Amino acid sequence: MSVRAAILLEQRTRTEGKSRTEIQKLIGESHSEIRSVESQIADLESRLASLVERRDRENLVVDALRHLIPPIQLPVELLVQIFGFAICMEEQFGRYPHFQDAYRVSHVCSHWREISFSTPHLWTGPVDVNLGEDGGADGFRTWLSRSAPMSVPILLTWFPGKDVAHPVLEELLAISPRWRSLHLRQYAPAWFFMRLAEHRLESLEEVNLGLVPDGVGTSALPIFGAAPLLRKLDVVPTSRLNMPWMQLNDLALRNGTAPDTSLDILAQCANLVTAYVGTLPWTPSRTEIITLAHLRTLELEFFECGPETHFMPFLDSLFAPTLTSLSLSFRLHCPWLVSAFTAFQLRSPHLTSLELSHASLTSDDLRAVLFHAPLLSDLSLRLCPYCVDDTLFLALHYESGSKPLVPHLRNLSLQGTSPTTLSDNILVGMIASRWWTDAEEESRTAPAAIARWERVELELQTIKFSQKFEDMLGDLRRSGLHIGCGDTIQ
């Protein structure tokens, strides 16, 4: 039975025997009940709408709160490490992007901003300032304050004609005790050194000065003597240059300095470990020997070589008993004296790395060099036109049971060289004689008499190799040997 039929039956029973007036009264009571129920429904609908509004608002609150939570829930220490990886401190395309990187990290959320602002080392990237540009000092002051108390590298670019104090420079001078390094990209005016003499440099470790201007007297330069941590200097030297030479362990003397000036400076640098000298060859005029007892890496570049000048007197003046790495580079032809170079090698018996560029030594000269370098592990020859031939490769070929030449040689680089004679089978035979696979290495019952190759680089000009030679090189590569071939190999 439907609801309607049931209600009809119910009301028929209810009104049985009642008059019309009584039934009309019942109808009025029902209308009153309907109005009461409708009033209650309206009240409930109003309350429901209010509840729906509250619910929707709380949903928005939840969404807002979730947005404020850091996107990655990690310990602060781990976040700081991640920030460090995200901030590039290296130069890219002539600019340092760490300014933008650090600000980008600090603007992700308030939590990250709080962490980054309280982590000084995230703000210690190189401060690269072009003093020819107009820039507000306030931004630099804020940046520098976030790095405190840590030290920072300073790079300054000068603009010709602007010999006046710059607001940013004043901010940098104010934190001079926190300078870790100073690099002058261009020659600084004399007044800068005078100003610098007024400030402390107690954290300074590295200085790249370039050329010191003529207007700077020797009295201004001892400012670096008051830098107790200074260990590395890059400069175009002059005879009047006054520096704390004794405390340096890394020195670069540039721009073809006169050899006597260079040697006078080196004589004061008893604690050098690494040195680069760009100098000139000359007719011998010195007899004293300079001892550099701690020197391990020496790079010499000789300019303006000529038939009546020579580079060997420079080496004749040096005694470097702990030297392990030597690089010689020549701008023009310079005669090679094998006996003098052998004498230098005997004074530096621990040489493990030798690099020659534009050297004029012959194949016989090079074999003499290798004979007196029994510990040599790395040999690089670049644009050396007379020393690479079949005789050299036969000397380097290892035969079991024989006394090997340079038994520790692991890396060989021949770049831009035009061999006078070169046979495919001699070259590849030499390479193969000093190579064996990992499996062969593991199966050895006794150490090998020579070291095996780590890498061989071949860039030989005007040479056309046979297909058989290239196939043999391919076999060596597939066995695990790293062989690099330049584009000049055909």
Side-chain angles (χ1 to χ4, degrees), residues 269-291:
C269 300
N271 293 303
L272 276 186
V273 176
T274 300
Y276 163 85
V277 179
T279 187
L280 304 170
W282 81 109
T283 303
S285 60
R286 301 172 65 106
T287 57
E288 67 271 24
I289 298 293
I290 298 170
T291 299

Side-chain angles (χ1 to χ4, degrees), residues 280-353:
L280 304 170
W282 81 109
T283 303
S285 60
R286 301 172 65 106
T287 57
E288 67 271 24
I289 298 293
I290 298 170
T291 299
L292 299 173
H294 306 286
L295 188 67
R296 297 182 63 83
T297 300
L298 175 61
E299 183 179 354
L300 299 177
E301 186 172 9
F302 294 95
F303 301 85
E304 300 178 10
C305 298
E308 296 182 1
T309 58
H310 209 280
F311 76 94
M312 205 60 74
F314 196 99
L315 294 180
D316 289 342
S317 301
L318 298 181
F319 174 41
T322 63
L323 188 69
T324 59
S325 179
L326 175 65
S327 174
L328 300 177
S329 178
F330 305 91
R331 290 295 181 93
L332 295 172
H333 177 85
C334 199
W336 186 277
L337 296 180
V338 64
S339 59
F341 193 78
T342 297
F344 174 79
Q345 287 183 273
L346 294 176
R347 297 194 301 275
S348 304
H350 303 291
L351 203 64
T352 60
S353 177

Side-chain angles (χ1 to χ4, degrees), residues 375-432:
L375 302 180
L376 195 69
S377 61
D378 298 85
L379 175 63
S380 177
L381 305 174
R382 181 176 179 272
L383 296 171
C384 299
Y386 312 116
C387 61
V388 176
D389 58 13
D390 284 345
T391 306
L392 172 67
F393 294 132
L394 286 172
L396 289 173
H397 190 285
Y398 173 65
E399 293 287 349
S400 179
S402 64
K403 185 176 181 179
L405 187 66
V406 283
H408 298 283
L409 189 64
R410 297 177 180 274
N411 296 286
L412 175 65
S413 177
L414 306 176
Q415 300 180 38
T417 301
S418 302
T420 53
T421 61
L422 183 61
S423 303
D424 291 3
N425 59 330
I426 292 179
L427 175 55
V428 77
M430 182 277 294
I431 296 173

